[in-house]
Amino acid sequence: MPAPIIEARGVSKSFFGNPVLRDVSIALAPGRIHALLGENGAGKSTLINLLSGALVPDSGTIEIDGKPHASLTPAEARRAGVAVVQQELSLTSQLSIAENIGLGAYPRRLGLIDYGTLAERARAVCDMVGLDEDLARPVGDLPLGRRQMVEIAKALFRNPRVLILDEPTSSLSAHEVETLTALLDKLREAGTAILYISHRLNEVMRLCEYVTVLKDGVVTADQSLAGTDADGLVRLMVGRDPGDLFPPWTPTPETETIVSVAGFSSGPLSDIDLEIRRGEVLGIGGLVGQGQEDLLLGLYGALPASARSASFGGVSGVPSSVPKANALGLAYVPADRKREGLHLIHTIAWNMMLPQFGRARGLSLRNRSQERALARDLADHLGIKGDLTRQVQALSGGNQQKVALAKWMPSDPSILLLNDPTRGVDVETKREIYILLRRFASEGKAVVLSSSDTPELVHLCDRVAVMREGRIAAMLARDEISEEAIVASAMGAEAARAAA
Amino acid sequence: MSVTSGPASRRLYWPAQMQRNRGVRGLFVVVALFVALYAYLFPGLLTVGGVSKFAQSWFPLALVSMSQALLMLTGGISLSIGATVSLGAVIAATTMTGPLGVVGGLAVVMIAGLAIGAITGVIVVRLRLPAIVVTLAASFIIGGAALLILPRPGGAIPTWFSDLLAGNTPAALILLIVTALLWKVYLATPLGLSLYAAGENPVGAYRGGVPVDIARIAAYAISGLLAVGAGLFVAAQTGSGDPVIGTAFTLNSIAAAVLGGVGFLGGRGTMRGAIAGSLLLSVMINVMFFLGFPPVAQYVAQGLIIIGAVALPEITGRRGPR
Amino acid sequence: MSIAESETTRFPPRRIGSLLKNRAFLTFLIVVLVWIVAGFAKPGFGSFGHLRYLLELAAVIGLVAIGQTFVVISGGIDLSVGAIVTVSAVGVPLAADLGDPTGTVPVLIILAAATGIGFLNGLGVALLRVHPMIMTLAMATFLQGVLILVAGGSAVSTQNPLLHWFGNARPLGVPAAVYLWVVVSALTLLVLHATPFGARIFALGANPLASALSGVNTRRTTMAVYAIGGLSAGLAGVLLLGMNGQGYVGIGDPYLLASIAAVVLGGTSILGGSGTYAGTIPGAILLVTITALITVVNASPGWRSILFGSLILALLLFSGREARNR
């Protein structure tokens, strides 16, 4: 093996006292595509930030060309040829494609940006990634997938020796993925060291030769990919067989309908007919951004919605606001808990009480001891340990999600709407959440679970509604649910037929 | 401009500029309508003298609007612009008739503006204090300095210089065009263009190699320069200095920038929008004055128009959780 | 997954040390220190009469700052408080008294009007989604026009008995204005920290989206917060009229910046979501104390202003850092 260009040696990093990486080592060699795998929250993004100098490790060193750096800066990393394509885009929407690609590394003439050279070089990298848009277009105009390609072009613009890609394909079309794959092959042949992070195992199997697996901040595997299959990868990541993750449960027999809507529309949704029954976990699947979130928010009264006919627990009409939805027994757990679910600067106990504050009479007096007792009960019940007067941001992702769930329990909702509740949650907490959801359903309540994690839908749901382009493309009954069926419906009828 | 010489750059620079215009096209139409109305009411506007006079009443507001918009683009804001305008005016009125002369006075004014802006910028950016509070405190310090230099209205600007800037000449219009062109040149430098990235996505920009802190501090310095420039011009207009003459400019600069589509969160808006916003505000005031609106109605109408201009796009394009 | 942990693990008792990290308490401590030092250094400063006078001045700022505290904690800012103070001060003599000899009716009318103005601010921010700075700035401009209409630019004076009493009476040697401030402060602290409505304000300021999705009626809360802003500025305005005996255009102008400064000095985050009126109280007293000290050193208005600004800046540097990216 040729000498690695960049190497992390025994690095550790904690946030708010929570260790995110513990004694992690990884070496990126030229001419190799190296996969970095791990659950959400395993510490992948932190490791990337250490390699690119955006964060400094608490202990351990980053070596570039054999030279150790105790505190690597982004500028040093860039000069050494490290380029990162972040999962969160770093583009500026008002600037043009070319101006974004060159940002931070503009060619200059007489102190001014050399627009001539910029246009030529930007064109060249755009051709490499198959981006044929007008270079003068503001990036804000582009759909998400195209922006992702601009982000990749931006990294290539710097002629990187090390290219780090953090889930580059999550919002790309099949065609764009093809282009990217071909491009990465070419870069590998030219001797670039590539670190590739993806949740799509088939991509990893096809592209990468070597894999490092992170689990809860520790390297659990660092080996060649030769001779490993997809199941083996999952075992490396999860640390157990995929089947163990999900609790056993028995389907609830047909029961009464609690929510029914017909001709429901909200935002990009049109003409949706849906029934939600007591005692079931109804899954919502599909590719990213097919209207799943709009459906949940529309039902929850958080987005303007209309329906030909609608009944929520016997009350007709769609709730027109969140407080009204709450009064009807609905509760919502959002996907982006930091932005939509929690008040990070407030305490754990306070966050648990928030729905009560929303509902109570505004100028009544709060009962502190009752609040404390309630918060304690919830924390005990969900296994959240320690001081409840800490800020929520001090908790790990999994425990934060528990708080986001816990706060609804005192309201005793009869319909629980969840939007990707296990994103960025460690395996143990995932299992606890699954148990909780099934128990909730077994108490005769209804759970609607939108998820981008297909196994979750397969192993946890009584029925699965697959969404495509703002409509329900298929409603799969218990005996029809399989990963293949969900993916086929998500991709559309043509693709399904071709697959058959 | 030299940047636009090659054929490739012509394919990129100007199209990119045109595309950036789209956000302000509606505003340009509204401004054009108001200017047409004004010209219809006051045909004298369409002479060299008329345009010159109007440009003189508009120029200081245009400068402070640019000054404010520049900071808002970086995600900041300034409540000390009015005080800085006053300081520029009193420095000009006390130095230009002295031994330093007009050129020396000009230099002192400009250095003061750059220094004040840069210091404010360093405090906000390096010490991580909220811009609104720092500039609030700065407004007392800068306003106090203006009072020290000139406790009560007085001082003088050489008559020839006053006449040159604010007499019967189109100097204000020419200066405004020059300022706008200089801004274009600044935006064509790597540091200038970084403003947008530093305002919209500072973390991403920093990771991508943009000198975010320097870009923001530079913005504060330039903002200070523009504000003292407005003060200098106001002093030339009145022929003397007044330590509180700039007060109204703080809020008017915010109003003009917002009318021009500049957002509070950084990275949203354009300088041409802010200039158009200040033009709209100036023409509105002139038209209402011309139509014989009582001052009451002028204030009321101004308040309503600002709210309307900001609320309209929100009402028409609303989406998101309620 | 059930566990059980003790009450002291869940809610550890506060240590004495944590008090020293409390911004409200620190501001209070600074006020006390400044008073002690100034009392020794400058004869007359520490006299009861002088301190009483300072508190009376602080009461007006403190009242304006009630609304500002609410608004800032909710994540907004109110730039119209100065104009509302002026409108209230100038408006009382113009309001119908309906033959009320105590002068209560016109005061109530003006307070209702001030609340209404604040409510309109809230309407613009919550329903039209105008940025608070723009909405309240436009409102201030608008009120300036109304003022010229109603007052014609000249000063108005009042013989309103109620206001005269509040402005001048000193039951038990303490100014009535200070009693008023104490009572209203107690109410404010109660609402902010002991009611669900208060908790909603903190929620709104920390994360409006998460608050809405948790069932908080964010629009109604926003409107209420700005209405309180109007009411508290109105209260300060009528009190100021009572103390001065007359009102004029511009009488409220200094209170805009003073209210924001008092809020920030008291440790309330200008970004919203955290803070307390318990800090704003010493913040207001600190402001008038600084002003008084600067007057004592007998400096010119220019130096006074520079000293004032520098001291505020220094106090901010001392303890006002904000996390930049939240």
Side-chain angles (χ1 to χ4, degrees):
Chain A
M1 187 184 94
I5 301 178
I6 186 167
E7 186 174 5
R9 279 179 189 255
V11 293
S12 303
K13 181 80 188 169
S14 344
F15 294 114
F16 299 109
N18 290 320
V20 178
L21 290 179
R22 272 171 294 176
D23 197 24
V24 168
S25 299
I26 189 169
L28 306 185
R32 186 170 79 180
I33 304 185
H34 189 136
L36 178 61
L37 297 182
E39 296 272 273
N40 286 318
K44 291 171 299 184
S45 297
T46 309
L47 182 56
I48 298 170
N49 284 333
L50 293 179
L51 289 174
S52 64
L55 290 174
V56 176
D58 297 338
S59 63
T61 53
I62 309 288
E63 282 182 16
I64 300 180
D65 296 321
K67 237 180 64 197
H69 293 256
S71 56
L72 183 72
T73 67
E76 285 169 346
R78 260 192 317 278
R79 249 177 276 132
V82 180
V84 185
V85 177
Q86 296 277 357
Q87 198 179 356
E88 286 157 33
L89 302 186
S90 68
L91 302 177
T92 304
S93 50
Q94 271 201 330
L95 297 185
S96 67
I97 294 175
E99 285 163 330
N100 264 293
I101 288 176
L103 190 71
Y106 288 124
R108 298 165 193 225
R109 202 172 61 186
L110 305 170
L112 300 180
I113 298 169
D114 182 349
Y115 271 88
T117 310
L118 176 63
E120 281 162 25
R121 289 185 48 204
R123 183 78 273 159
V125 288
C126 282
D127 288 344
M128 282 172 82
V129 299
L131 199 66
D132 50 7
E133 255 83 7
D134 178 4
L135 289 177
R137 255 183 106 179
V139 162
D141 286 6
L142 302 177
L144 199 58
R146 304 263 88 183
R147 281 192 224 183
Q148 184 79 52
M149 296 310 268
V150 174
E151 191 78 43
I152 295 167
K154 185 177 167 184
L156 293 179
F157 186 81
R158 292 135 202 270
N159 297 317
R161 294 163 65 217
V162 179
L163 181 63
I164 301 175
L165 300 127
D166 191 356
E167 298 201 35
T169 53
S170 56
S171 47
L172 296 188
S173 69
H175 177 69
E176 287 165 331
V177 172
E178 279 307 313
T179 316
L180 180 64
T181 311
L183 171 69
L184 292 181
D185 273 331
K186 228 184 292 169
L187 288 173
R188 165 182 34 203
E189 272 153 40
T192 311
I194 298 171
L195 183 64
Y196 191 83
I197 293 146
S198 175
H199 280 305
R200 302 187 178 178
L201 295 182
N202 53 347
E203 275 173 28
V204 171
M205 297 299 296
R206 202 169 95 205
L207 265 172
C208 308
E209 299 99 280
Y210 197 86
V211 64
T212 299
V213 179
L214 278 178
K215 182 172 182 299
D216 298 332
V218 179
V219 175
T220 54
D222 188 58
Q223 61 186 67
S224 167
L225 261 177
T228 314
D229 61 356
D231 274 351
L233 280 181
V234 173
R235 260 194 303 278
L236 286 176
M237 280 167 65
V238 181
R240 64 164 112 199
D241 278 321
D244 290 349
L245 188 56
F246 298 96
W249 54 276
T250 45
T252 331
E254 281 289 300
T255 52
E256 60 174 310
T257 300
I258 185 163
V259 172
S260 74
V261 289
F264 181 86
S265 51
S266 168
L269 305 179
S270 58
D271 203 26
I272 292 215
D273 297 340
L274 188 66
E275 283 193 351
I276 304 168
R277 299 174 195 146
R278 284 184 188 281
E280 73 167 352
V281 176
L282 171 64
I284 312 256
L287 299 177
V288 173
Q290 300 298 305
Q292 295 97 322
E293 185 171 66
D294 300 88
L295 176 60
L296 294 183
L297 288 176
L299 292 173
Y300 189 54
L303 282 178
S306 64
R308 247 193 339 270
S309 71
S311 160
F312 284 73
V315 181
S316 67
V318 182
S320 60
S321 73
V322 173
K324 282 180 191 158
N326 292 152
L328 291 171
L330 288 128
Y332 175 71
V333 178
D336 186 346
R337 60 182 165 267
K338 290 185 181 171
R339 222 170 62 78
E340 302 170 341
L342 296 172
H343 291 68
L344 295 175
I345 60 169
H346 289 146
T347 66
I348 301 167
W350 191 94
N351 269 278
M352 288 175 172
M353 290 303 115
L354 187 58
Q356 313 305 310
F357 297 147
R359 264 201 329 200
R361 273 192 36 232
L363 292 179
S364 57
L365 282 184
R366 281 165 59 185
N367 183 339
R368 295 272 176 169
S369 58
Q370 202 183 322
E371 286 176 13
R372 280 179 164 208
L374 194 52
R376 248 185 94 180
D377 281 353
L378 289 172
D380 287 348
H381 184 62
L382 287 172
I384 300 166
K385 295 194 187 81
D387 181 2
L388 298 182
T389 61
R390 284 174 297 165
Q391 292 186 345
V392 157
Q393 60 189 356
L395 292 176
S396 69
N399 276 324
Q400 286 184 3
Q401 190 65 13
K402 284 186 192 170
V403 175
L405 258 167
K407 69 177 183 184
W408 289 114
M409 296 198 158
S411 324
D412 195 21
S414 47
I415 306 144
L416 194 55
L417 309 171
L418 303 112
N419 191 358
D420 243 342
T422 57
R423 193 194 283 180
V425 166
D426 59 277
V427 181
E428 284 314 312
T429 311
K430 261 188 193 177
R431 195 175 150 80
E432 289 173 16
I433 290 175
Y434 295 151
I435 294 171
L436 213 67
L437 294 185
R438 279 317 315 185
R439 190 199 303 158
F440 200 77
S442 70
E443 287 165 5
K445 294 156 184 170
V447 177
V448 181
L449 171 69
S450 168
S451 178
S452 56
D453 186 35
T454 312
E456 229 169 71
L457 297 174
V458 172
H459 295 288
L460 212 63
C461 299
D462 297 84
R463 294 185 300 151
V464 173
V466 183
M467 295 194 64
R468 186 159 44 86
E469 290 166 3
R471 290 165 185 277
I472 292 180
M475 177 63 85
L476 306 173
R478 177 70 219 145
D479 50 2
E480 298 168 333
I481 300 175
S482 67
E483 295 213 20
E484 293 73 25
I486 292 172
V487 172
S489 311
M491 303 294 285
E494 296 82 357
R497 215 173 296 128
Chain B
M1 248 179 290
S2 64
V3 275
T4 61
S5 50
S9 66
R10 231 172 282 143
R11 284 201 312 268
L12 177 57
Y13 183 77
W14 291 112
Q17 295 296 316
M18 289 310 291
Q19 301 242 21
R20 223 167 281 157
N21 264 341
R22 277 178 318 174
V24 281
R25 259 178 222 157
L27 176 67
F28 284 169
V29 171
V30 174
V31 172
L33 285 176
F34 262 90
V35 172
L37 175 65
Y38 186 38
Y40 170 76
L41 293 169
F42 176 62
L45 179 69
L46 300 176
T47 62
V48 175
V51 170
S52 302
K53 271 282 158 237
F54 173 73
Q56 284 168 14
S57 71
W58 169 33
F59 184 56
L61 183 63
L63 283 190
V64 293
S65 306
M66 290 178 78
S67 167
Q68 189 68 267
L70 184 53
L71 296 184
M72 287 169 70
L73 284 179
T74 67
I77 190 143
S78 176
L79 296 183
S80 60
I81 282 183
T84 312
V85 170
S86 302
L87 186 70
V90 297
I91 294 179
T94 48
T95 54
M96 286 191 167
T97 49
L100 290 172
V102 168
V103 176
L106 260 178
V108 174
V109 169
M110 287 169 74
I111 291 167
L114 281 171
I116 287 170
I119 293 169
T120 313
V122 168
I123 294 175
V124 170
V125 173
R126 287 288 182 195
L127 303 181
R128 302 190 173 193
L129 288 170
I132 186 167
V133 189
V134 171
T135 55
L136 176 60
S139 73
F140 285 96
I141 300 174
I142 299 166
L147 278 172
L148 274 191
I149 294 169
L150 205 60
R152 58 191 65 80
I157 301 288
T159 320
W160 68 268
F161 191 60
S162 267
D163 287 346
L164 176 68
L165 282 185
N168 219 348
T169 68
L173 190 64
I174 293 168
L175 279 175
L176 183 60
I177 293 169
V178 170
T179 313
L181 286 178
L182 284 176
W183 168 250
K184 289 246 82 96
V185 174
Y186 183 64
L187 259 200
T189 66
L191 193 64
L193 201 60
S194 303
L195 265 185
Y196 279 100
E200 179 177 330
N201 190 343
V203 176
Y206 173 71
R207 287 182 182 161
V210 176
V212 173
D213 283 3
I214 294 173
R216 290 178 67 203
I217 293 171
Y220 276 90
I222 296 171
S223 168
L225 182 64
L226 289 167
V228 290
L232 175 75
F233 188 82
V234 170
Q237 267 179 326
T238 55
S240 64
D242 178 341
V244 293
I245 197 158
T247 312
F249 281 118
T250 300
L251 298 186
N252 278 338
S253 66
I254 301 177
V258 170
L259 273 182
V262 182
F264 276 97
L265 299 175
R268 299 278 164 186
T270 51
M271 200 51 97
R272 65 198 80 165
I275 295 174
S278 71
L279 176 57
L280 183 60
L281 211 55
S282 280
V283 173
M284 252 161 48
I285 293 167
N286 277 314
V287 166
M288 285 190 282
F289 179 75
F290 213 84
L291 291 176
F293 275 39
V296 186
Q298 286 185 33
Y299 280 120
V300 171
Q302 207 176 318
L304 287 177
I305 289 173
I306 292 172
I307 295 176
V310 179
L312 215 58
E314 284 292 339
I315 298 169
T316 48
R318 165 177 300 179
R319 193 176 172 274
R322 280 176 280 185
Chain C
M1 66 185 118
S2 283
I3 51 165
E5 292 194 357
S6 70
E7 173 74 16
T8 46
T9 318
R10 289 310 193 188
F11 297 93
R14 301 227 180 114
R15 295 208 197 91
I16 304 291
S18 72
L19 197 59
L20 289 175
K21 287 185 191 144
N22 185 325
R23 287 283 307 274
F25 181 74
L26 278 180
T27 313
F28 177 74
L29 221 61
I30 293 175
V31 170
V32 172
L33 277 177
V34 170
W35 277 20
I36 292 173
V37 172
F40 280 111
K42 175 81 191 170
F45 183 93
S47 73
F48 178 68
H50 186 248
L51 295 184
R52 179 173 66 189
Y53 171 66
L54 287 186
L55 281 183
E56 202 172 355
L57 291 183
V60 183
I61 295 179
L63 286 178
V64 182
I66 288 177
Q68 198 68 266
T69 307
F70 274 88
V71 173
V72 170
I73 289 177
S74 81
I77 192 155
D78 190 343
L79 299 181
S80 67
V81 288
I84 299 178
V85 168
T86 307
V87 165
S88 317
V90 172
V92 172
L94 306 166
D97 61 7
L98 302 176
D100 171 19
T102 62
T104 314
V105 171
V107 171
L108 289 180
I109 291 175
I110 288 301
L111 290 182
T115 312
I117 293 168
F119 181 75
L120 285 178
N121 277 333
L123 217 59
V125 173
L127 295 186
L128 303 182
R129 300 213 181 170
V130 181
H131 190 281
M133 216 183 276
I134 292 306
M135 183 63 218
T136 55
L137 162 61
M139 178 60 81
T141 312
F142 183 90
L143 291 178
Q144 241 173 330
V146 174
L147 267 175
I148 296 171
L149 184 73
V150 297
S154 59
V156 297
S157 54
T158 182
Q159 273 81 42
N160 186 304
L162 180 72
L163 292 184
H164 184 80
W165 186 83
F166 267 112
N168 300 287
R170 287 183 174 162
L172 305 175
V174 177
V178 175
Y179 284 112
L180 178 69
W181 188 28
V182 169
V183 171
V184 181
S185 295
L187 268 175
T188 301
L189 287 170
L190 195 70
V191 169
L192 211 47
H193 299 293
T195 68
F197 172 67
R200 283 177 216 161
I201 298 172
F202 283 95
L204 187 61
N207 189 341
L209 188 55
S211 305
L213 290 175
S214 300
V216 172
N217 191 331
T218 50
R219 287 183 185 182
R220 205 190 288 167
T221 310
T222 304
M223 289 189 264
V225 159
Y226 282 89
I228 292 171
L231 174 62
S232 81
L235 202 57
V238 295
L239 182 66
L240 196 59
L241 176 68
M243 286 160 67
N244 278 13
Q246 60 171 359
Y248 48 89
V249 174
I251 190 173
D253 290 356
Y255 293 97
L256 167 58
L257 300 188
S259 69
I260 297 175
V263 168
V264 174
L265 288 182
T268 295
S269 163
I270 198 82
L271 304 175
S274 72
T276 172
Y277 185 68
T280 308
I281 297 171
I285 301 174
L286 189 57
L287 273 184
V288 292
T289 309
I290 292 174
T291 315
L293 283 177
I294 291 167
T295 320
V296 166
V297 296
N298 206 10
S300 71
W303 277 117
R304 265 186 247 161
S305 181
I306 291 177
L307 272 172
F308 186 72
S310 308
L311 282 169
I312 292 182
L313 205 55
L315 286 168
L316 280 175
L317 281 175
F318 173 62
S319 56
R321 302 272 182 108
E322 304 272 4
R324 191 157 40 158
N325 299 307
R326 215 176 59 191

